[in-house]
């Protein structure tokens, strides 16, 4: 069965966390909204799924994953589903729940990253909340980012082996998601990250290792990987970086 | 085995979602940080758990649930665990995942509710971000609240029976959480809610039904239920309501 991913076609956004898991799993999928407009593909098809995709399990927002008759929404939920199916999480219930716990913390942080540039509302332009964004960014840089990355570093540091993973002894979707967070932070806060990342050596090492994984490396260098841009969750504004 | 809940002692906050599930399940628990300071109780004990509670599964933030040797964190995760153990979610994997999906959406909304009064940073006083809060509140009232409540209403409306639940034919933790959201919104936005709630008759009916459940009713009228106050997630500021 081929997965169908429904997500906005021009940004990495939350969809990218799903794409990375699908790529690492070597799972076949179509990126529905990125295909040309047709009955079953394109943005219109995504909007249709969003509005009427399932009477049983109506989705609130993309990303949405379709697998046969099943429609799954909420990023962390989709990853939990894929993790179990494709060995991107441990086999034990306890281990799976712990992987999910880390993912939920990553998701919370992602909201904070977005709200740095849009502290008042998604529907206001950046220019309408630029001064507020500058104030929020200052707190983000000094408190929130160190707290989050410090937590991830703490998790990784417990592992005494040289190849550390967030969970157990192999790659999980949580590692892929942390990789993506680091990618995004480097795009949005280049100066800050070049200064701070030495404080998180294990996080940095994990990021390197993930980016060198065969399928991930190939994907990152393909046209399938949408470039970061000023419409996604991670955005670069000089005045928010330091 | 008795559960131990670790959460801030003077607010409902995220801990309340766990408390409601424990109450409805008739599960024995101690509310650790609300007991007097002792080796194993009080706020100090909570801070200790937070900092050093588990080398295996270090928590990021409260609420934290301890069950024997197991330490579980992240609200939605704890509820998923309790739901399975105490029949507060369906028995099928599909049904459990759908309940969790709704809970994740509720959790996302909760962050938005909090950020209405603290759009720039948790660590700034309200007075330092009051003007920004007013701008954010306006968008929250006109767009975000209707979007969220409309979605919950849509889920409930699919059920043709007179006693509607978010999932299946009985109470799940998602129903308890939606109840708590309505409680909080009525406290924080009394005028707005008295105007808007007629648009969401099934949500309102569900709230009523949950509040009349025997154990929940008893709990709500006991000293165990902390009153809403200006330190929690839901706060009342006249200028943010309309």
């Amino acid at each position: 069965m081929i997965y169908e991913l429904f997500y906005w076609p021009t940004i990495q956004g939350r969809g990218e966390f799903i794409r990375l898991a699908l790529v690492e799993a070597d799972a076949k999928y179509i990126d529905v909204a990125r295909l040309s407009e047709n009955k079953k593909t394109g943005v219109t098809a995504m909007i249709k799924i969003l509005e009427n995709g399932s009477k049983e399990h109506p989705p609130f927002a993309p990303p949405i994953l379709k697998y046969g008759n099943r429609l799954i929404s909420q990023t962390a939920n989709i990853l939990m589903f894929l993790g179990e199916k494709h060995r991107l999480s441990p086999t034990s219930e306890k281990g799976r729940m712990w992987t999910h716990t880390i993912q939920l913390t990553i998701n919370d942080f992602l909201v904070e990253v977005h709200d740095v540039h849009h502290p008042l509302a998604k529907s206001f332009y950046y220019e309408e909340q630029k001064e507020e964004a500058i104030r929020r960014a200052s707190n983000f840089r000094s408190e929130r980012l160190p707290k989050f990355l410090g937590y991830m570093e703490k998790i990784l540091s417990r592992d005494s082996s040289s190849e550390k993973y967030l969970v157990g002894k192999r790659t999980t979707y949580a590692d892929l998601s942390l990789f993506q967070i680091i990618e995004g932070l480097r795009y949005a806060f280049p100066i800050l990250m070049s200064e701070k990342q030495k404080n998180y050596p294990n996080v940095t090492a994990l990021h390197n290792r993930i980016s060198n994984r065969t399928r991930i490396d190939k994907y990152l260098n393909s046209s399938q990987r949408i470039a970061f841009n000023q419409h996604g969750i991670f955005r670069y504004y000089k005045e928010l970086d330091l």
Side-chain angles (χ1 to χ4, degrees), chain A residues 147-190:
Chain A
K147 182 169 179 180
F148 173 81
L149 289 182
Y151 176 66
M152 293 296 152
E153 183 70 18
K154 177 180 171 178
I155 295 177
L156 288 168
S157 311
R158 300 164 316 151
D159 185 347
S160 57
S161 58
S162 61
E163 278 211 356
K164 299 182 203 309
Y165 297 96
L166 286 166
V167 181
K169 296 287 174 203
R170 49 200 307 272
T171 305
T172 63
Y173 62 78
D175 297 316
L176 302 174
S177 294
L178 181 55
F179 159 82
Q180 174 65 7
I181 292 281
I182 299 301
E183 288 280 290
L185 289 174
R186 287 184 182 172
Y187 169 76
F189 304 95

